[in-house]
Amino acid sequence: MATDLAKFAEENGVKYFMISFTDLFGGQRAKLVPARAIADMQEDGAGFAGFATWLDLTPAHPDMLAVPDPEAVIILPWNKEIAWVPADCVMEDAPVEQAPRVVLRKLIAQAAAEGMHVKTGIEAEFFLLTPEGDAISDSFDTAAKPCYDQQAFMRRLDVIREISDHMLEMGWNPYQNDHEDANGQWEMNWDFDDALKTADKHSFFKFMAKCVAEKHGYRATFMPKPVEGLTGNGCHAHISVWDAPGAAAKTNVFAGEGEGQTGEVGLSERGKHFLGGIMKHASALAAITNPTVNSYKRINAPRTMSGATWAPNTVTWTGNNRTHMVRVPGPGRFELRLPDGAANPYLLQAVIIAAGLSGIRSKADPGKRHDIDMYAEGHKVRGAPKLPLNMLDALRAYDRDKELKASMGEEFSAAYLKMKMQEWNDFTSHFSQWEKDNTLDI
């Protein structure tokens, strides 16, 4: 039986609900609803003008209703009178097919119909900057190799510990937090879960990190490459498939034994084909996993100050080696290192499932495993596609990939491509200082 949000409010002292949905660009939109009105909103949804967000809608469209998912409600740990609840978008009694959470739900249902339940964990990386976003918040964080810097960690312990405390309180089981490879950069990890739950947590985590950072006078950013010359913000996804959702899961479908596994990496036949789908659709995948102009400053970056970008630029896979697009760190799962901090939490999960299902259905071969250091010896790899050089190339690759577009949904794909092409055209019409510096005296 579904959670009664009105009763939930009464039992937990909640005075307001934030009914939230995520648009095509990953923007989180919300309405603050008093608890006294939540019963009607739970049934009918909160009304939004879709055109006012990044969705392919017009001012003439009727109200878009965000119907809260009561099973995903979260009380804000830093303000317990408010509860956040993600919503599914509906218009005229039908799901809004382009809405990211709706897209993900459809892919989860498709996978379940084939006996597969995708579980994922993500590694969320972010920078703590000054409120204006123009500098790292800690002026003493200047080490050439700052990863795991103990003193720098202590100077921002108030922020990181508060976020970690909130995750502990919510039962997310966070298991490690660290100063990452760039000055001013952090990574926080929590347990893997069913794809929809991970997407909701990912969405809430970004909201929470920004709120806590602002409380302490800083600005948290998940921008893929916010500081030139430093390592960018990745959002690595760890992927496995199980025989059932949630706690009912008993068997990891990806864990292979004997003849069913691909060499010593321990992936089952289905795991190998799922990986094959990721490799097959990688260039198109980038349009979703790396969705901004800035994204391509990360995956095609020159050597950073620390000595490595920790981001891929070629479609290759390996064992426990962090220089490739996909790493298989142990039996039964693999890590997709392509996504960045700008990835839409719901579309990220959806496109992973879409590509993986494609691979399983076609029995896709992931291709040759490479165990070399791609940063030092990548030039030795022959035949592996390069990842897109920019957002336009990624969008064109996605547009050409008719199978992936259909799997993600034709209405979604058309809307996404339209809105993202408008964004690209807006970028190309922008005049930059670089143009003046390099062309003024030509």
Side-chain angles (χ1 to χ4, degrees), residues 201-282:
K201 290 175 182 177
H202 185 190
S203 185
F204 186 81
F205 178 83
K206 295 179 80 169
F207 169 53
M208 175 169 61
K210 292 174 184 178
C211 288
V212 174
E214 288 175 10
K215 171 186 169 183
H216 289 273
Y218 310 127
R219 184 172 186 173
T221 180
F222 294 82
M223 181 178 177
K225 188 82 167 180
V227 183
E228 187 175 0
L230 298 184
T231 304
N233 282 324
C235 186
H236 306 153
H238 292 259
I239 305 156
S240 57
V241 170
W242 297 73
D243 60 340
K250 302 298 180 187
T251 302
N252 182 344
V253 176
F254 276 7
E257 295 180 0
E259 295 181 3
Q261 67 184 41
T262 57
E264 66 276 23
V265 296
L267 281 181
S268 67
E269 197 71 13
R270 275 195 285 182
K272 179 186 74 172
H273 295 322
F274 195 107
L275 173 58
I278 296 288
M279 304 301 286
K280 173 183 175 182
H281 296 286

Side-chain angles (χ1 to χ4, degrees), residues 391-410:
M391 181 174 148
L392 179 62
D393 286 351
L395 291 173
R396 286 172 170 168
Y398 184 81
D399 197 22
R400 288 193 299 269
D401 195 329
K402 298 190 185 306
E403 182 184 0
L404 190 64
K405 282 198 303 183
S407 187
M408 291 290 286
E410 295 293 355

Side-chain angles (χ1 to χ4, degrees), residues 13 40 43 68 103 113 116 132 134 149 153 163 192 201 239 272 280 315 336 355 358 396 402 412 422:
D40 289 341
E43 184 175 349
V103 174
M116 293 180 291
E132 298 76 22
D134 57 1
D149 190 313
F153 196 106
I163 297 170
F192 74 107
K201 290 175 182 177
I239 305 156
K272 179 186 74 172
K280 173 183 175 182
V315 183
L336 177 62
S358 163
R396 286 172 170 168
K402 298 190 185 306
F412 159 77
Q422 288 176 358

Side-chain angles (χ1 to χ4, degrees), residues 16 124 172 232 362 398 409 415:
Y16 290 94
W172 290 14
S362 64
Y398 184 81

Side-chain angles (χ1 to χ4, degrees), residues 99-397:
R101 202 170 190 267
V102 173
V103 174
L104 176 55
R105 277 191 177 279
K106 288 180 65 177
L107 267 301
I108 289 171
Q110 287 181 31
E114 298 181 31
M116 293 180 291
H117 302 271
V118 179
K119 291 180 178 287
T120 58
I122 58 109
E123 300 177 9
E125 295 177 351
F126 60 97
F127 279 74
L128 289 175
L129 304 179
T130 58
E132 298 76 22
D134 57 1
I136 293 165
S137 67
D138 180 2
S139 61
F140 296 103
D141 190 350
T142 58
K145 282 188 176 288
C147 205
Y148 318 121
D149 190 313
Q150 187 168 267
Q151 289 306 120
F153 196 106
M154 293 306 293
R155 289 194 295 272
R156 289 295 171 266
L157 180 65
D158 52 353
V159 177
I160 304 304
R161 180 177 174 178
E162 185 170 333
I163 297 170
S164 187
D165 282 346
H166 292 337
M167 289 194 285
L168 285 164
E169 181 182 333
M170 293 185 293
W172 290 14
N173 299 322
Y175 55 89
Q176 62 184 15
N177 312 293
D178 67 85
H179 189 300
E180 264 300 307
D181 192 62
N183 308 104
Q185 187 186 38
W186 306 89
E187 180 183 304
M188 306 186 75
N189 306 124
W190 62 90
D191 273 0
F192 74 107
D193 209 334
D194 295 339
L196 181 61
K197 291 182 178 179
T198 291
D200 285 335
K201 290 175 182 177
H202 185 190
S203 185
F204 186 81
F205 178 83
K206 295 179 80 169
F207 169 53
M208 175 169 61
K210 292 174 184 178
C211 288
V212 174
E214 288 175 10
K215 171 186 169 183
H216 289 273
Y218 310 127
R219 184 172 186 173
T221 180
F222 294 82
M223 181 178 177
K225 188 82 167 180
V227 183
E228 187 175 0
L230 298 184
T231 304
N233 282 324
C235 186
H236 306 153
H238 292 259
I239 305 156
S240 57
V241 170
W242 297 73
D243 60 340
K250 302 298 180 187
T251 302
N252 182 344
V253 176
F254 276 7
E257 295 180 0
E259 295 181 3
Q261 67 184 41
T262 57
E264 66 276 23
V265 296
L267 281 181
S268 67
E269 197 71 13
R270 275 195 285 182
K272 179 186 74 172
H273 295 322
F274 195 107
L275 173 58
I278 296 288
M279 304 301 286
K280 173 183 175 182
H281 296 286
S283 294
L285 211 70
I288 307 292
T289 59
N290 307 83
T292 69
V293 169
N294 180 257
S295 294
Y296 298 87
K297 300 291 197 301
R298 169 183 168 265
I299 62 174
N300 290 300
R303 184 182 295 268
T304 62
M305 191 173 80
S306 73
T309 65
W310 302 109
N313 56 30
T314 307
V315 183
T316 56
W317 74 279
T318 185
N320 198 355
N321 177 336
R322 288 179 168 85
T323 65
H324 294 257
M325 189 188 82
V326 175
R327 174 175 78 112
V328 185
R333 67 183 172 97
F334 63 82
E335 176 192 34
L336 177 62
R337 298 178 60 82
L338 177 59
D340 63 44
N344 186 307
Y346 299 98
L347 298 181
L348 169 59
Q349 301 297 326
V351 82
I352 287 170
I353 297 172
L357 289 180
S358 163
I360 287 174
R361 290 163 182 163
S362 64
K363 297 187 177 346
D365 187 335
K368 182 180 178 181
R369 169 183 166 184
H370 296 277
D371 290 322
I372 62 172
D373 179 346
M374 281 297 290
Y375 297 153
E377 302 179 276
H379 61 281
K380 296 180 180 179
V381 174
R382 297 285 184 265
K386 290 287 186 181
L387 288 165
L389 291 173
N390 53 52
M391 181 174 148
L392 179 62
D393 286 351
L395 291 173
R396 286 172 170 168

Side-chain angles (χ1 to χ4, degrees), residues 64-87:
M64 183 179 72
L65 300 170
V67 180
D69 179 351
E71 303 314 309
V73 64
I74 297 173
I75 296 174
L76 302 192
W78 64 95
N79 188 337
K80 297 183 187 300
E81 292 185 343
I82 300 174
W84 177 89
V85 56

